Amino acid sequence: MSFLESLNWRYATKRMNGKKVPQNKVDIILEAARLAPTSSGLQPFTILSITDPALQEMIKPIANNQPQITEASHLLVFAAWDSVTPEKIDEVFDQVIQERNLPADGLDNYRNFLKSKFGSMSTEEQFQSAARQTYVAFGIAIAAAATEEIDATPMEGFRNSELDELLGLKEKGLRSVTLLPLGYRDEENDWLLKQKKVRRTKSDLVIEL
Amino acid sequence: MSFLESLNWRYATKRMNGKKVPQNKVDIILEAARLAPTSSGLQPFTILSITDPALQEMIKPIANNQPQITEASHLLVFAAWDSVTPEKIDEVFDQVIQERNLPADGLDNYRNFLKSKFGSMSTEEQFQSAARQTYVAFGIAIAAAATEEIDATPMEGFRNSELDELLGLKEKGLRSVTLLPLGYRDEENDWLLKQKKVRRTKSDLVIEL
């Protein structure tokens, strides 16, 4: 399938059949998310890949009992940094300097610019900025799943703070942002599968100047 | 190239050579963004595709004089709805009802739930929610460009309100969020092309539970 055919093939799967997605396919989806570009290369998020059925059962009520939470073989949780601190910025820049064999102070101007930029934001604004980057990786992970013919359901509908509590995210400096159950569509029972994909028309969505 | 090979091929192009991207390739990138999933299917954004060199010249200083703004043949501006009003929600749901041949009141429960949800948010919160959805389409557009071997530079570094003013976005109920110049890498002059792509390791980025 071409990339556009894959995007047309995918849909927000409402029911999955419980079949297990091979780990090598999940790894491709995670690798796509890892390769996603992010502002200043910070990659300010963590992805939790959950395959423990008992944990999925505990998450289900927090996500309004959506059945895909337990019908998926892998439940991805995208969680953004709750703050963008100088320490976290240093970690990223130290890695770049090491991997590119740059002088230790080679990126100091940009590093300090970023520290000052985030330092002037509230913690909540830092998180919101990190959350936006998370959506880039989330979008690319959704597309990667489609190219591998793995079904996925992008989800915002869950109680974030309860999930953070359950997964101990606060202690990790993270806040949950989105969910992505991975599995296979239940062709008999998924009402949405038979429905036409609806999108705004190109002329409504795009302005050419 | 596989999808992962495409994601490895792409990079945040710092210099472009001015060569024109064929319109059919740009249309594939725009179509990928149009097919991107969004929360409740609202697609709360507009994409401006700018090919007028004079307008690109005017945008360049607003984007810190980054050369790709004018070296790109197409400059995409992703702009999110500045608010999510009952009228906009009705427009989306009316389209779904028409295209899926549903009874006129067939989606009233969900439609009213959404109106009430957004109605309880401030205008700024409505915009932030729309902006997040924009990043999903932005991520998928970046990936689409890579699959077509079109270079692209994801950009947040510009003065949003000045761009909104220049493009008359406020009157359209929009606020600019990101830029994506499309073009071809200038292999001789782009310092970043020769640098190793750096990403956090999988073990640092992913937690398996």
Side-chain angles (χ1 to χ4, degrees), chain A residues 43 49 99 196 200 207, chain B residues 43 49 99 196 200 207:
Chain A
Q43 300 181 276
S49 175
E99 293 201 26
K196 182 175 184 295
R200 289 167 56 204
I207 297 174
Chain B
Q43 299 182 275
S49 176
E99 293 201 26
K196 182 174 182 295
R200 289 168 56 204
I207 298 175

Side-chain angles (χ1 to χ4, degrees), chain B residues 2 6 8-9 11 26 43 72 75 89 96 98 102 109 114 118 149 158 160-161 163 170 180 182 184 192 209:
Chain B
S2 73
S6 295
N8 272 301
W9 172 86
Y11 71 112
V26 176
Q43 299 182 275
L75 174 63
I89 292 171
V96 174
Q98 197 203 328
L102 299 173
N109 281 349
L114 273 191
F118 282 102
E149 294 185 55
F158 61 96
N160 306 59
S161 55
L163 186 61
K170 194 175 178 183
L180 193 66
L182 302 175
Y184 294 96
L192 189 56
L209 293 177

Side-chain angles (χ1 to χ4, degrees), chain A residues 3-4 7-8 10 23 27-39 41-52 55 81 91-92 95-96 99-100 102 117 127-129 131-133 135-136 138-140 142-144 147-148 154 156 160 167 172 174 177 191-192 195-202 204-209, chain B residues 3-4 7-8 10 23 27-39 41-52 55 81 91-92 95-96 99-100 102 117 127-129 131-133 135-136 138-140 142-144 147-148 154 156 160 167 172 174 177 191-192 195-202 204-209:
Chain A
F3 189 58
L4 289 185
L7 292 177
N8 272 301
R10 69 154 297 282
Q23 189 60 43
D27 288 341
I28 287 173
I29 296 165
L30 291 170
E31 178 66 1
R34 194 181 76 90
L35 290 171
T38 53
S39 186
L42 292 181
Q43 300 181 276
F45 52 81
T46 290
I47 303 169
L48 295 95
S49 175
I50 298 172
T51 53
D52 174 2
L55 188 52
W81 290 355
E91 239 176 81
V92 172
Q95 185 190 349
V96 173
E99 293 201 26
R100 290 187 180 159
L102 300 173
K117 181 184 137 186
F127 162 70
Q128 293 296 344
S129 167
R132 288 181 173 201
Q133 305 311 312
Y135 276 79
V136 177
F138 184 57
I140 289 179
I142 293 166
T147 64
E148 294 297 320
E156 283 184 331
N160 306 58
L167 298 175
K172 296 182 169 74
L174 297 169
V177 173
W191 61 271
L192 189 56
Q195 300 280 340
K196 182 175 184 295
K197 185 188 283 292
V198 179
R199 290 292 187 274
R200 289 167 56 204
T201 60
K202 187 187 174 192
D204 186 34
L205 199 73
V206 176
I207 297 174
E208 298 187 332
L209 293 176
Chain B
F3 190 57
L4 288 186
L7 292 177
N8 272 301
R10 69 152 297 283
Q23 188 60 41
D27 288 342
I28 288 173
I29 296 164
L30 291 169
E31 178 65 2
R34 194 181 77 91
L35 291 170
T38 52
S39 185
L42 293 182
Q43 299 182 275
F45 51 81
T46 289
I47 304 169
L48 296 96
S49 176
I50 298 172
T51 53
D52 173 1
L55 188 51
W81 291 355
E91 236 176 83
V92 172
Q95 186 190 351
V96 174
E99 293 201 26
R100 289 186 179 159
L102 299 173
K117 182 184 137 186
F127 162 70
Q128 292 297 341
S129 166
R132 287 181 173 200
Q133 305 310 312
Y135 276 78
V136 177
F138 184 57
I140 289 179
I142 293 165
T147 64
E148 294 296 320
E156 282 184 331
N160 306 59
L167 299 175
K172 296 181 169 74
L174 298 169
V177 173
W191 61 272
L192 189 56
Q195 300 281 338
K196 182 174 182 295
K197 184 188 284 293
V198 178
R199 290 292 186 275
R200 289 168 56 204
T201 60
K202 187 188 174 193
D204 185 34
L205 198 73
V206 176
I207 298 175
E208 297 187 332
L209 293 177

Side-chain angles (χ1 to χ4, degrees), chain A residues 65-101:
Chain A
N65 289 310
Q66 292 176 86
Q68 312 94 311
I69 299 290
T70 49
E71 290 169 354
S73 70
H74 294 69
L75 174 62
L76 304 186
V77 178
F78 288 74
W81 290 355
D82 64 1
S83 59
V84 182
T85 60
E87 292 72 28
K88 288 173 182 166
I89 292 170
D90 275 335
E91 239 176 81
V92 172
F93 277 75
D94 290 348
Q95 185 190 349
V96 173
I97 278 180
Q98 197 202 328
E99 293 201 26
R100 290 187 180 159
N101 289 312

Side-chain angles (χ1 to χ4, degrees), chain B residues 69-154:
Chain B
I69 298 290
T70 49
E71 290 168 354
S73 70
H74 294 68
L75 174 63
L76 304 186
V77 179
F78 288 73
W81 291 355
D82 62 3
S83 60
V84 182
T85 61
E87 293 71 29
K88 287 172 182 166
I89 292 171
D90 275 335
E91 236 176 83
V92 172
F93 277 74
D94 290 348
Q95 186 190 351
V96 174
I97 278 182
Q98 197 203 328
E99 293 201 26
R100 289 186 179 159
N101 288 311
L102 299 173
D105 61 355
L107 298 171
D108 276 3
N109 281 349
Y110 194 66
R111 188 197 290 250
N112 291 329
F113 159 75
L114 273 191
K115 287 182 187 177
S116 141
K117 182 184 137 186
F118 282 102
S120 73
M121 294 181 183
S122 69
T123 307
E124 178 65 21
E125 287 167 338
Q126 294 170 19
F127 162 70
Q128 292 297 341
S129 166
R132 287 181 173 200
Q133 305 310 312
T134 308
Y135 276 78
V136 177
F138 184 57
I140 289 179
I142 293 165
T147 64
E148 294 296 320
E149 294 185 55
I150 301 303
D151 283 301
T153 318

